[in-house]
């Protein structure tokens, strides 16, 4: 795991957008896994800006959404389809046929989830998966207890997630209780994973994710088994990490490795 600690939220978003741009330079038909939530908003803002300056182009880029509330139409303001459109997709030149997402109202859940997995595979897999982290350690909507090898499926939201999401709905009873989400096994097949966390209220989840045991009780800890994970955190979100100084030293000195080559 590469832990990158920056002083504030804007800096972690800038760093994440920079990584995405670098990878796009190597592969123009980059396959991106997109996350929703408050945290990734800054990445989308940065990427839109890079696009505006002609420093990234989405003609051949393909995107897959990580999750969706079950029961919401794609035009519902709280659906993830709506979030992606309003916060990112409508500002970049991404082709409609290259946008893949989980449906809030699929005809058949199991078939839909299986087809989604197959679509990801048919595009060669996800190159970069963007993730946030829940206070309970969830990634996507893989709540505590989710199998670390789970695939795209329906999940029941944990009570704390329902409570955290209540701020986005007029009435508490409108908050969806079910969702579709890529599984942890699905996420783990991405070639690179970028997890972002900001703020003190994420520090315990970040600590458990990076330095705690690998356990289904803290789904993000499963990422310790992935070879290419970047954990981008601001000072507050990194405040419970015990090896902070080491992570900072590694990041600041990573270019020195090549001084040791012949
Ligand atoms: P947040 O959500 O970015 O809105 O805090 C993160 C998550 O639940 O994955």
């Amino acid at each position: 795991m590469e832990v990158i600690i920056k002083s504030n939220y804007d800096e972690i978003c800038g760093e994440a957008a920079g990584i995405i741009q670098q990878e796009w330079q190597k592969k123009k038909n980059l396959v991106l896994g997109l996350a929703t939530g408050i945290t990734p908003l800054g990445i989308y803002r940065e990427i839109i800006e890079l696009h505006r300056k002609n420093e990234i182009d989405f003609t051949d880029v393909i995107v897959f959404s990580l999750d969706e509330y079950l029961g919401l139409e794609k035009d519902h303001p709280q659906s993830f389809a709506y979030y992606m459109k309003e916060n990112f997709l409508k500002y970049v030149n991404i082709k409609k046929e290259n946008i893949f997402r989980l449906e809030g109202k699929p005809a058949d859940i199991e078939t839909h989830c299986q087809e989604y997995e197959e679509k990801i595979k048919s595009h060669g897999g996800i190159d970069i998966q963007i993730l946030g982290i829940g206070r309970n350690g969830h990634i996507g909507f893989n709540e505590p207890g989710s199998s670390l090898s789970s695939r795209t499926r329906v999940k029941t939201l944990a009570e704390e997630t329902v409570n955290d999401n209540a701020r986005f709905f007029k009435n508490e009873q409108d908050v969806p209780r079910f969702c579709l989400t890529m599984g942890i096994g699905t996420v783990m097949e991405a070639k690179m994973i970028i997890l972002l966390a900001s703020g003190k209220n994420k520090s315990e989840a970040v600590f458990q994710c990076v330095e705690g045991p690998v356990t289904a009780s803290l789904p993000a800890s499963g990422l310790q088994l992935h070879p290419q994970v970047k954990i981008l955190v601001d000072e507050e979100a990194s405040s419970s990490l015990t090896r902070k100084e080491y992570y900072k030293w590694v990041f600041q000195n990573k270019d020195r490795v090549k001084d040791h080559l012949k």
Side-chain angles (χ1 to χ4, degrees):
M1 282 182 149
E2 185 182 9
V3 181
I4 304 176
I5 302 168
K6 297 276 171 185
S7 42
N8 58 52
Y9 173 69
D10 287 347
E11 284 184 27
I12 57 173
C13 295
E15 183 72 25
I19 295 167
I20 292 166
Q21 187 201 21
Q22 267 172 22
E23 295 302 311
W24 169 79
Q25 272 160 352
K26 293 184 226 160
K27 183 175 185 272
K28 299 292 190 288
N29 59 343
L30 200 65
V31 182
L32 281 176
L34 303 177
T36 51
I38 301 292
T39 316
L41 285 174
I43 308 187
Y44 301 132
R45 193 185 60 223
E46 293 283 335
I47 298 180
I48 292 164
E49 185 55 20
L50 289 173
H51 178 253
R52 206 184 54 76
K53 294 190 286 185
N54 290 325
E55 289 174 22
I56 189 164
D57 177 80
F58 286 84
T59 306
D60 296 321
V61 172
I62 295 155
V63 294
F64 284 88
S65 286
L66 180 62
D67 44 22
E68 180 58 278
Y69 286 125
L70 200 60
L72 298 191
E73 301 284 357
K74 70 176 188 328
D75 297 327
H76 189 291
Q78 296 309 330
S79 75
F80 292 173
Y82 187 87
Y83 168 106
M84 282 327 321
K85 186 171 97 197
E86 290 303 311
N87 293 303
F88 182 41
L89 300 173
K90 75 177 188 187
Y91 297 104
V92 294
N93 61 329
I94 187 153
K95 291 181 189 146
K96 259 206 166 87
E97 64 266 30
N98 286 344
I99 299 172
F100 297 97
R101 58 181 180 79
L102 286 159
E103 296 282 343
K105 290 197 162 183
D108 179 82
I109 291 176
E110 223 169 287
T111 311
H112 181 55
C113 292
Q114 209 172 328
E115 284 174 358
Y116 201 62
E117 291 271 344
E118 280 156 18
K119 261 182 228 151
I120 295 173
K121 280 207 183 82
S122 74
H123 285 86
I126 291 170
D127 292 305
I128 305 179
Q129 177 65 54
I130 299 170
L131 293 177
I133 183 169
R135 286 186 304 126
N136 63 3
H138 74 199
I139 47 175
F141 271 143
N142 294 285
E143 301 286 23
S146 293
S147 159
L148 297 180
S149 57
S150 50
R151 311 303 309 188
T152 304
R153 69 214 182 292
V154 66
K155 280 296 289 182
T156 307
L157 300 181
E159 199 175 340
E160 57 262 56
T161 305
V162 174
N163 294 340
D164 278 354
N165 292 345
R167 63 200 149 130
F168 302 116
F169 292 83
K170 271 200 202 97
N171 305 306
E172 217 234 282
Q173 65 268 28
D174 295 338
V175 186
R177 296 301 201 265
F178 301 99
C179 65
L180 297 185
T181 181
M182 281 186 206
I184 302 174
T186 320
V187 167
M188 291 288 282
E189 283 171 8
K191 291 167 196 100
M192 181 193 288
I193 295 172
I194 299 179
L195 182 146
L196 254 79
S198 167
K200 186 90 186 113
N201 67 344
K202 296 290 174 72
S203 64
E204 181 58 23
V206 168
F207 165 68
Q208 293 296 343
C209 163
V210 177
E211 296 180 354
V214 173
T215 166
S217 297
L218 198 293
S221 67
L223 300 179
Q224 290 176 27
L225 300 174
H226 191 284
Q228 261 277 57
V229 180
K230 295 178 194 294
I231 307 283
L232 270 62
V233 282
D234 59 15
E235 281 291 346
E236 287 192 346
S238 71
S239 58
S240 299
L241 293 171
T242 64
R243 293 189 290 269
K244 262 179 89 161
E245 294 316 311
Y246 172 72
Y247 305 136
K248 285 186 180 177
W249 197 91
V250 170
F251 184 70
Q252 282 156 10
N253 290 282
K254 64 180 177 183
D255 287 342
R256 285 176 61 187
V257 172
K258 52 180 186 290
D259 297 345
H260 297 265
L261 303 175
K262 278 194 183 155

